[in-house]
Amino acid sequence: MEHINNYINEHKDRFINELIELLKIPSISADPAYKADVLNCAEAVAKVMEDAGADNIEICETAGYPIVYGEKIIDTNLPTVLVYGHYDVQPADPLELWASGPFKPVIKKTDIHPEGAIFARGACDDKGQFYMHVKAFELMMKTDSLPCNVKFMIEGEEEVGSDNLGAFVKENKERLKCDTILISDTGIISNDNPSITTGLKGLSYLEVEVTGPNRDLHSGLYGGAVANPINILCEMIAKMKDEKNHIIIPGFYDNVLELSQEERADIARAPFSLERYKSDLDLSDIHGEEGYSTMERTGIRPTLDVNGIWGGYTGEGAKTVIPSKAFAKISMRLVPNQSDEEITEKFTKFFEKIAPKSVKVKVKPHHGGEPYVSPTDIPAYQAASKAMENTCGKKPVPVRSGGSIPIVALFEAELGVKSILMGFGLDSDAIHSPNEHYGIFNYLKGIETIPHFFANYAKAH
Ligand code: BES
Ligand code: MN
Ligand code: MN
């Protein structure tokens, strides 16, 4: 497999520069102001696929942003790997917290990335990671070492809930037929501790509205005599968890799959330093559901968090007012065997029940998704594990992530195929945050590891 490192050494500067070009396109799917940029990005993705040697490239229109498809079928008797990724990115705000422009990629060294990291929105999530696949594919094509068929499906709506991908998958089952799905949109524990993500959380995301009086009121004339919807909303949110941080929505844990002592012992064996975790985040103490470790809280326990809360006066100075309305965005991360629909319904019932008569409430569901777990005893997982062992010098540990990629459960339901989550990001890469970055080491390590996966998988299949 010497050809892999030789090819990377020869071409790595170009690999980095090409990624930088892609990162200059502000493909923010959430904000309609960037529509032209998202569409341009789809064109750019189609172009890089073509340059790498893919056939039958198509920019597939949907009701939202297009899905870029491409493939290389070398022999229909060989197994087929479907690569999924997303070319859309999160909004870049708050802009003032970026040390350099979110769409002006720069390479800087950090303590964690002594070899340098590319700073830009989407560097790690997910342009840098799906581009590793494009470059690994180029490498296999150019060195005549592609051992199986490849299909690429790179979408443009992951960060806004993949609303149109489900229909595309349902309508294109034949085209997407494959033996395994390979995704790099997750992370590893650290550059010295390789890991493979074996679980993704589901998601129920809602917006709530609490209405008090029919108009904003003078807080002196009416204060204390009518319900203040912000106060009420805060009280209602406080009623969602008990003093042990258990969620007390009736039936919330009914379907939660409890792990065996053995599985929990496995989680405890993964390298993790609570002291490092706290110091990274400047926290004097951690927080969470009693009876579970930090890794369990993020990996295997469902959670409930307020993502945003607003209402009343938040401008300069003071305005004495009791607002008519208050709002919050609330998300619940789900684990097997909870479902988005079930939890959304239980939340809604509970929220309506605990609302005092002095206010009216509305609950509006946003996008959601189902949880996913990948087994470790299937050929594709073994191929990924061996690939990482080959290139990282250590067997990767399986880790359940707190993040969600809702489409992965849908792939399983519709295509009947398991996904392997072989990502190379780090938690410290600041995805969805200002100063997102992706280590050059991680980028090149991914490009190096993917051809090993293909070779191992083709052999095992
Ligand atoms: N790539 C992330 C998910 C992720 C990151 C999983 C790191 C595991 C480790 C993905 O782009 C993402 O941000 N997903 C959203 C869900 C989506 C419906 C907006 C999330 O997890 O909040
Ligand atoms: Mn992502
Ligand atoms: Mn994301």
Side-chain angles (χ1 to χ4, degrees):
M1 302 294 270
E2 213 174 283
H3 68 281
I4 299 175
N5 291 316
N6 290 344
Y7 193 89
I8 293 174
N9 280 331
E10 206 174 308
H11 297 278
K12 63 180 175 207
D13 290 342
R14 176 173 58 83
F15 288 175
I16 293 165
N17 290 331
E18 286 175 10
L19 173 57
I20 284 177
E21 285 310 305
L22 205 59
L23 290 169
K24 289 181 185 168
I25 309 173
S27 50
I28 303 170
S29 51
D31 186 344
Y34 293 89
K35 184 170 178 192
D37 298 295
V38 184
L39 295 172
N40 279 341
C41 195
E43 301 273 351
V45 172
K47 172 82 169 53
V48 295
M49 267 186 203
E50 189 182 346
D51 292 347
D55 301 326
N56 299 324
I57 293 160
E58 191 186 331
I59 297 178
C60 309
E61 299 303 327
T62 71
Y65 287 121
I67 293 154
V68 186
Y69 180 84
E71 63 182 23
K72 189 80 204 176
I73 308 297
I74 51 171
D75 180 346
T76 49
N77 293 314
L78 287 171
T80 301
V81 178
L82 175 67
V83 173
Y84 163 82
H86 61 96
Y87 65 82
D88 65 322
V89 302
Q90 286 276 327
D93 61 278
L95 282 176
E96 64 278 14
L97 296 183
W98 284 79
S100 50
F103 301 103
K104 292 194 168 56
V106 289
I107 298 175
K108 279 183 283 190
K109 293 193 163 110
T110 72
D111 290 350
I112 291 179
H113 296 293
E115 289 159 60
I118 307 176
F119 282 75
R121 170 58 85 230
C124 174
D125 185 12
D126 179 42
K127 284 175 177 165
Q129 296 220 59
F130 90 71
Y131 205 62
M132 300 183 312
H133 288 268
V134 179
K135 292 299 99 178
F137 170 66
E138 173 199 307
L139 181 158
M140 291 186 280
M141 290 292 289
K142 288 280 159 62
T143 56
D144 231 344
S145 60
L146 183 69
C148 41
N149 305 311
V150 198
K151 296 178 174 178
F152 289 98
M153 175 171 58
I154 312 297
E155 72 150 316
E157 297 187 309
E158 196 279 338
E159 298 293 7
V160 288
S162 302
D163 282 347
N164 298 293
L165 187 59
F168 180 81
V169 171
K170 284 180 194 157
E171 286 158 21
N172 288 274
K173 285 193 181 168
E174 198 49 43
R175 169 149 59 163
L176 299 175
K177 212 168 157 211
C178 60
D179 298 282
T180 191
I181 301 171
L182 184 61
I183 303 174
S184 297
D185 193 21
T186 54
I188 48 177
I189 296 173
S190 70
N191 285 351
D192 305 320
N193 292 295
S195 57
I196 296 178
T197 301
T198 51
L200 292 168
K201 282 189 176 166
L203 182 66
S204 161
Y205 198 114
L206 319 117
E207 188 169 321
V208 299
E209 179 188 304
V210 178
T211 307
N214 61 3
R215 58 190 164 91
D216 287 4
L217 302 173
H218 186 289
S219 65
L221 295 182
Y222 290 94
V226 298
N228 178 328
I230 302 180
N231 291 31
I232 301 280
L233 176 57
C234 292
E235 286 164 22
M236 290 173 74
I237 290 165
K239 281 189 186 138
M240 308 245 150
K241 291 185 196 179
D242 67 15
E243 67 287 351
K244 292 179 173 165
N245 283 309
H246 293 303
I247 295 157
I248 48 183
I249 297 172
F252 186 83
Y253 294 101
D254 278 3
N255 297 321
V256 169
L257 197 71
E258 298 289 338
L259 266 65
S260 66
Q261 282 310 320
E262 225 169 275
E263 287 171 303
R264 292 184 67 180
D266 277 343
I267 293 174
R269 267 195 292 276
F272 175 75
S273 155
L274 196 55
E275 285 316 307
R276 261 292 271 291
Y277 189 81
K278 286 196 289 190
S279 72
D280 274 354
L281 302 174
D282 277 335
L283 295 170
S284 6
D285 201 1
I286 38 134
H287 171 99
E289 190 185 0
E290 197 175 288
Y292 295 92
S293 69
T294 296
M295 289 285 262
E296 289 176 331
R297 287 167 181 167
T298 60
I300 60 163
R301 297 299 293 169
T303 57
L304 181 153
D305 278 289
V306 179
N307 296 260
I309 183 163
W310 70 102
Y313 185 68
T314 55
E316 283 293 315
K319 178 188 177 192
T320 48
V321 63
I322 293 178
S324 169
K325 285 180 190 291
F327 304 86
K329 291 187 194 278
I330 298 175
S331 70
M332 288 161 285
R333 298 276 175 170
L334 314 178
V335 302
N337 293 319
Q338 291 178 303
S339 85
D340 169 21
E341 200 190 331
E342 166 223 356
I343 292 300
T344 300
E345 193 185 310
K346 284 175 177 166
F347 176 96
T348 306
K349 263 199 193 138
F350 183 63
F351 197 76
E352 286 167 353
K353 197 183 124 220
I354 63 172
K357 274 209 195 97
S358 52
V359 297
K360 294 185 207 59
V361 299
K362 268 192 210 156
V363 179
K364 188 174 100 191
H366 280 283
H367 57 247
E370 309 302 345
Y372 173 76
V373 173
S374 153
T376 54
D377 58 357
I378 54 173
Y381 182 90
Q382 296 296 330
S385 180
K386 272 195 215 119
M388 280 190 130
E389 196 174 343
N390 291 335
T391 61
C392 305
K394 239 190 212 179
K395 194 175 167 178
V397 295
V399 171
R400 301 231 194 156
S401 170
S404 308
I405 311 175
I407 205 66
V408 174
L410 198 129
F411 288 153
E412 185 174 10
E414 293 298 329
L415 303 174
V417 181
K418 285 279 185 186
S419 295
I420 302 302
L421 302 155
M422 192 173 76
F424 291 85
L426 299 180
D427 284 353
S428 55
D429 286 345
I431 64 170
H432 294 208
S433 263
N435 305 307
E436 175 177 353
H437 55 280
Y438 192 38
I440 306 272
F441 172 86
N442 302 66
Y443 178 54
L444 298 177
K445 189 56 75 183
I447 299 172
E448 180 191 351
T449 308
I450 292 162
H452 282 272
F453 171 87
F454 273 77
N456 296 342
Y457 187 64
K459 227 182 286 163
H461 196 78

